[in-house]
Amino acid sequence: MAELLQMVNISKHFGPVIANSNVDLTVKAGEVHALLGENGAGKSTLMNVLYGLYAQTEGEVYYKGEKVDIRTPGQAIALGIGMVHQHFMLIPALSVIENVVLGYEGNGAVLDLKKAARDFTEMSRQYGMEIDPWMRVEQLTVGQQQRLEILKALYRNAELLILDEPTAVLTPQEVDSLFAIIRRLTSEGKTIIFISHKLAEIMTICDRCTVLRLGRVVAEGMQVSEIVDAQQLAELMVGQAVNLKTDKSDATTGRTVLQVKGVSALNERKLEALRDVTFEIKAGEILGVAGVDGNGQSELVKCITGLLPVTSGSIEIEGVECANKQPKQILKQGVAHIPEDRQKMGMVSAMNLRENLCLMEYDHEPYSSKAGFLRWSWIDKHSRELCQRYQVRTPGVTELAGNLSGGNQQKLVVGRELDREPALLIAVHPSRGLDIGATKYIQSRIVQERDRGAAVLLVSTELDEVMDLSDRILVIYEGKVMGIIAQKDADRKQLGLLMAGMRNGNGEKSVV
Amino acid sequence: MEKIRVKAINGVKTVYFPVVAILVSLLIGSVVILATSQTSPLVAYESLFKGAFGNLRAFDDTLLKAIPFIFTALSFAMAKRCGIINLGAEGQFAIGALMATIVGVGMPDLPLVPHLLLTLVAGFIGGAIYGLIPALLKVQFGASELITTIMLNYIAKEIISFMVNGPIMDSASSLYPQSAPIPGSARLPAMFAGMRVHWGAIVALLAVVFYYVYLWKTKSGYELRVVGLNPNAGHYAGMNIKRSIIRSMLLAGGFAGLGGCIEIIAVQGRLMMTSFTVTYGFTGIAVALVGGNNPIGILISGVLFGGLQAGALRMQMMTDASSSVVQVIQALVILFIAGRLMFRLRTGRHLRQRTLAVPPVAMDERGEKR
Amino acid sequence: SGETATTTAEAAPATEAQETEAATEAATEAEVTEAEETEADVTEEATEAEEPEAEDAKPKVALILEGAVSDMSWNATAYAGLEKIEALGAETKYVENIPASAGADAIRTFADEGFDVIFMSSNSYQDAGKEVAAEYPDVQFFMINSTVTEDNVRSFAIQDAEQGFLMGALAALLTESGTVGFIGGLPINPIINGGKGFEQGVKYVNEEVEVLSENTGNFDDVNAAKELAKAMIGQGADVLSPMANQASLGVMEAAEEEGKKGIGSGLNQETLAPNAAVVAIVKDTSIAYEAAYQAYLDQDMPETILPMGAAQGVVYIGDYYIDVDDEIKAQLEEIYEKLASGEITIDLD
Amino acid sequence: MDGLSSFLASVLRLATPTLLAALGIVFSERAGIVNIGTEGMMLIGALSGVMGSFYTGSVWVGALIAMAVTLLFSMIFAFFTVVIKADQTVIGTGMNILAAGLTITVNRAVFGASTSPPKIDVFSTVKIPLLSEIPVIGPALFQQPMPVYLAFLLVPVAGFVMFRTNVGLKLRAVGENPRACDTVGISVMKVRFSAVLYSGLMAGLAGAFVSMGQMSFFTENMISGGGFIAVAAVVFGNYTPRGVMFASLTFGASRALMYRLQAASTGIPSQFALMLPYLITIVALCLVIRRSNKPTASAVPYIKE
Ligand SMILES: Nc1ncnc2c1ncn2[C@@H]1O[C@H](COP(=O)(O)OP(=O)(O)OP(=O)(O)O)[C@@H](O)[C@H]1O
Ligand SMILES: Nc1ncnc2c1ncn2[C@@H]1O[C@H](COP(=O)(O)OP(=O)(O)OP(=O)(O)O)[C@@H](O)[C@H]1O
Ligand SMILES: [Mg+2]
Ligand SMILES: [Mg+2]
């Protein structure tokens, strides 16, 4: 195979932060090349340099043997490079199809959106990732947005496709179909750079990999087949031994912490999103919610946290009725919430780490005094501790949260929430975008919280995560509870059927 | 070592950019002066500088003029921190002045301290109420404050016009459209004999300190900033967004109102039809934004704009450059100061990235560290 | 060093004036040889160098304006007054667009720079003027439309109401529809008084005539004045009188477009409204300024507020732009005389 | 003309400069640039139009000159806000002061400070055959100067460009999420720069209409807030050309109403009549509850990396 891309001696500095240091990357035509590394290792930065979003501090790029100087994404696109960004590059106020054709070279002066929508629908059907082209992007779930990002790049027929953590919020089925697409693309001679923290995925789909650690290359162009196990890879990335086991004993449950009874709710589009949902969580247990993204999980969490009104039903937290109460009152019941979209909701990008770490608890001691003043010296100390404990890689606690790498932003939010010793912990995609080490650490922390006596509601599109961590698993489909299964009774096949809206495994679609 | 270097670069930068900006704007302005008058630009600029900082009296003048700008800048900045674009400082300033006049003139028999305090409070409340209106309209009806505040400015102007032509018109001396003079018991005196800068300067300083302490040291101010930067996150963290907006506009209006009050009770002495021909509100926006909405920045840029105003007056008087030419030069200074980052092209790449990557927020951090 | 530079700067305009004079002289002496010319230049330079001292003899007069000299009315006539004062042999200087809050600075700056006479063109400066005047006993201050008289302060009261009265009287004489309109700008003292005079002028001539009187709230917005005028015409007004500085032009234009009559409050409006503009009833404050300055030169300044109106020739009837019935002209002239003699008084309360 | 007819005519006249300017601003706003400097641009347009008409003797050439000059002037705004990424509000404010100073300086230099304005060619009334014969609305709507028709004809055109064309899509996207646009190869700077220039062009025409359509001369500061009203019309009109048209008409109608109330000598202090248009605007804004189309990245400079 010929070398399609060579990045030579690339360095990228952000002020005092060195994100990439003399990185070499060689990608062969037609391969799927994995780019691996811990959170903050510099993967996204390297790809942004390639895509023309960042100008490298030093180094050269050769594409198809020729030296290229890519200064804008426009140039990258013209060269046939496409990129799916770690953080969505979508325009929420526009429709799906408008997002797709935006900036597309093949557009006429007058847009024919109907035709474009037909082409797009056909293409998305082919790839098994259907999205209504006329929907406004802000109405899409995170998973749908991720699919749209991939489809957007495919629509442009890129030759070299960079996928920066595309699977972070996809369901297993979606991951499978994405892999099918990737295989088809490579068979068509296209080349993929694939960034992921999930070893299984890398083993399945990638040919070779390059590993970054602290901005430097530690393994270049290594054959994926040479990787023995996750342990080896983790050690390669981190540079030392890592514990990848999640120790979990049986649950010892206590009082009922969360009691949801007959809850129905409309989503932001005013469509029915939850229908008569009933369940409870006791202290010391983890209830996992399994379901294909967009089946009411977001709404359920929002109803419990007071961010979305319920139309009927009751939600009791620690015996206190919380339906349609102000978020603040609910938080006072000891609720911690790792939100699904960290950038949109979970943090304030333009504030620094310290300010982000006191977001939930700023209004009482020891964060602030009775008189209403914040205790910055305490917060400062506490923030340092948290950053250390949750391995948030940052130049300091006065760094802007928005400047952290995606995974580190996640650690920031997760760390903050876990640290609150909540009675009820609601964790939505808690390990989204985290590297292997961090994922395991966060998962074991969630289990620890359970063992401490917290009730945990775990929402994840990652079926493995749900199955590993949960004591009981609730399957949701189109806003309705399909069933609640104890962990030991759960098997993938049965869960998969329930998630697809089929009961009793007889293939019959249940009436909802 | 690196830290010291960065600090040094930052230090140079804070001085370097505005200085170069002013030099360039003066250079371009000199072309205008040459083209339109007989005066040599050097002479014109000398009078500009002398009028602003040339001697004690000039500096006195500069400070005097800076005071109202600092208040209106605080008004804009306070709202901006909560994500509200308050273009209404102009009206809030005027209503504050009106309320102060009503209390100042209306209760002439009070002793000095209570009367003065009462007048200041009235000014603050007047502005706060006038700031509350757009805030309520926004949270209740979703009416864009961008428009309502501008509209309220025009309305305030008519309210003032109505009041000084009727209810509070001074009937004692003559029938001019102006209020009676503010009695001595409600007037803010000068700080030093022979100078005009008055105790309002101290009030302004206290307001700046309050702005800083409130936003960066209190829970309530923190809420306000979170809501301003990411309302979703604020909601998620249990903050009441509507209440934050209302609070920020009350304070913003209050600052402007206090400024208006002080301008009347310390400088103008009575409310007139023409009390607000200087665009206090709009200049305040420029002051706030040039000062990066941060406390020290607002102080410095307030003095800069005060100086520009004072110097421009002298330049008009001492040279044959007409007031419109002076206006042009003022405008150029504003443009280039606001666009001062363009001169980064001349400095190292390192500097450039830092300034670009972390725009105004870098100042926040500096604020907190102390 | 700063001080010296300023002195040079101030001397500069005067020097130039001198130079032009010299040039004219040179032109008349056509037969001077080149060599002599050079010599003459040298001598001239020498005299120039001494001039600053000689210059001191010239009184320095300053004018502080609240609006722009180009407003075709209040400030423009004040500026014209300053020009007349210059013609009387004074060195003059003016500043425009000075808000009330900057009045004190402007006055002080002029006083510090050695000006002998300072005019304040608006009653907005009254408080500031009174305060600063006390600090500069050697400087003579004149305040327009104020009530202050001190050792070194004299005030004169421009009789805006008389101007309005004449406009109203003429409007009442001209109207056919029985409705006339007055359009003021910002409701400040001169305008309000003008409006009051207008109404009384109308009623003086004919009790039956209906008066529409309104302010646009602004001197800049010509279009507002024009639309208001059109709306008044819609209400039946057929003679309009603006008193809104430059915005007055909008009223004249409306009258022209709608085929009605307009009575100007400033000169030179006939080009804009050749058919509508009847005459300008002028309030020429320049005469007041000149008279005040003359009184200063003569050291003859009674300690009273000097009225400046028809009696002093400050308010007068300009040339008619279009043909007007002689009888009407005569009637107006008579009213003018009565105003000047004090037979007609205007009630401003 | 009867009362209603003259009222309607007055509404159109008053709405036109607002609409013309707002049809430009709506594009720059959609691209994420808040053009507070419109006031100044209209002033420049008003003066340069008069000068153009004065020297060439043709109002149309004058209008073209006004548009060209204002376009050049708006380049300063574009340079500072788009290239330098300085704060749009400050630069806009600076531009307004600059324009006021420049127009006064130039006007005095060219036409003198205190003389009557020169006679110039102005937009004359164009009667639309047939339509102008309709009773009441005919004389009101179809006996207007050309720019009035032009402004209203531009509304659907602007709507089409904004919502149906590739350029329009790019424009709207740039105002929403410039970074995302960058990643699909759109030059944010180019789009924003052109949008500002376009808004300058339209502000120039609007200013020229004020000085040569509504009036027949230039006076200092004659725009007196018209530019701010145009910016308000864009927000009030919810950032669509059609909405902008309704907003301009609302403003025009409330002002026309105000003048009639004043002229009717109702005895209400004039200040209250003068407040009316602004009060109406506020009330209308509160009654129209809807999803705002305000661009997310409005007034946010796009800084790469
Ligand atoms: N715009 C920026 N300004 C300052 N620092 C930055 C910026 N972008 C990235 N960094 C820093 O560069 C380093 C590398 O970040 P990058 O996003 O490339 O990591 P990553 O390997 O993609 O991590 P993740 O797996 O968490 O996404 C991090 O330390 C991050 O804080
Ligand atoms: N061709 C056009 N001419 C004029 N106006 C148009 C045109 N197309 C759309 N509009 C206006 O633009 C607005 C937005 O159009 P679009 O088709 O994007 O609808 P939308 O995205 O649902 O926005 P909204 O819900 O705010 O109307 C419409 O409300 C309409 O008033
Ligand atoms: Mg990344
Ligand atoms: Mg990243």
Side-chain angles (χ1 to χ4, degrees), chain D:
Chain D
M1 275 200 274
D2 59 0
L4 179 61
S5 179
S6 94
F7 175 75
L8 289 178
S10 169
V11 171
L12 283 200
R13 271 200 311 273
L14 288 165
T16 298
T18 312
L19 179 56
L20 282 172
L23 281 178
I25 304 168
V26 74
F27 281 88
S28 72
E29 282 274 358
R30 279 282 185 164
I33 306 281
V34 180
N35 192 347
I36 294 277
T38 309
E39 176 84 10
M41 295 181 185
M42 284 175 74
L43 258 182
I44 296 279
L47 176 63
S48 47
V50 165
M51 286 175 63
S53 173
F54 179 73
Y55 287 115
T56 65
S58 154
V59 63
W60 284 106
V61 179
L64 285 177
I65 288 174
M67 288 159 80
V69 171
T70 316
L71 184 118
L72 285 176
F73 185 69
S74 64
M75 263 182 200
I76 306 175
F77 183 80
F79 173 74
F80 276 103
T81 56
V82 180
V83 182
I84 305 296
K85 298 160 179 49
D87 187 277
Q88 296 166 11
T89 317
V90 182
I91 299 298
T93 310
M95 294 294 288
N96 289 338
I97 302 173
L98 183 64
L102 278 180
T103 50
I104 293 173
T105 310
V106 173
N107 183 49
R108 288 185 188 180
V110 175
F111 298 118
S114 202
T115 51
S116 179
K119 198 103 205 99
I120 52 161
D121 184 28
V122 295
F123 290 110
S124 52
T125 306
V126 179
K127 270 194 196 183
I128 309 264
L130 297 180
L131 290 178
S132 58
E133 310 294 320
I134 306 170
V136 185
I137 61 166
L141 308 187
F142 301 108
Q143 291 185 23
Q144 295 281 359
M146 253 341 247
V148 177
Y149 305 124
L150 183 68
F152 286 88
L153 286 177
L154 269 177
V155 173
V157 176
F160 183 82
V161 171
M162 187 173 283
F163 296 107
R164 300 283 174 260
T165 65
N166 197 27
V167 172
L169 176 62
K170 282 188 190 178
L171 188 95
R172 286 181 290 141
V174 161
E176 287 289 342
N177 187 346
R179 193 170 184 80
C181 291
D182 198 354
T183 63
V184 293
I186 295 171
S187 165
V188 176
M189 214 191 265
K190 220 192 276 173
V191 173
R192 288 190 161 178
F193 207 94
S194 347
V196 171
L197 293 197
Y198 179 69
S199 78
L201 188 96
M202 291 301 287
L205 181 59
F209 178 71
V210 171
S211 63
M212 303 194 296
Q214 292 184 325
M215 298 289 132
S216 59
F217 49 80
F218 175 84
T219 58
E220 292 170 9
N221 299 319
M222 75 186 301
I223 301 301
S224 78
F228 292 110
I229 298 290
V231 175
V234 173
V235 184
F236 187 22
N238 206 11
Y239 305 88
T240 70
R242 206 186 311 168
V244 159
M245 180 181 77
F246 287 122
S248 305
L249 286 171
T250 308
F251 289 162
S254 58
R255 285 184 64 199
L257 182 68
M258 165 190 92
Y259 295 129
R260 271 149 193 83
L261 272 185
Q262 277 195 295
S265 269
T266 47
I268 305 169
S270 63
Q271 288 91 353
F272 291 104
L274 290 169
M275 278 179 206
L276 197 69
Y278 310 116
L279 283 174
I280 290 179
T281 305
I282 291 178
V283 171
L285 201 61
C286 294
L287 294 182
V288 189
I289 305 167
R290 59 187 161 186
R291 194 179 55 81
S292 170
N293 288 332
K294 181 179 178 190
T296 313
S298 180
V300 184
Y302 175 57
I303 295 162
K304 237 181 143 171
E305 144 176 3

Side-chain angles (χ1 to χ4, degrees), chain A residues 43-45 48 86-87 164 404-407:
Chain A
K43 307 179 292 293
S44 299
T45 304
N48 283 333
Q86 185 173 9
H87 295 121
D164 193 350
L404 294 185
S405 80

Side-chain angles (χ1 to χ4, degrees), chain B residues 19 24 31-32 103 143 192 209 212 236 259 290 301 337 345 348 369:
Chain B
V19 167
V24 171
V31 178
V32 181
V103 171
F192 312 103
V209 171
Y212 165 69
Y236 154 79
V290 166
S301 85
I337 290 266
L345 302 174
K369 266 177 206 157

Side-chain angles (χ1 to χ4, degrees), chain A residues 231 242-248 440-441 444:
Chain A
Q231 192 67 38
V242 191
N243 178 16
L244 289 182
K245 278 219 287 291
T246 312
D247 297 320
K248 186 163 167 275
K440 289 297 157 192
Y441 179 69
S444 67

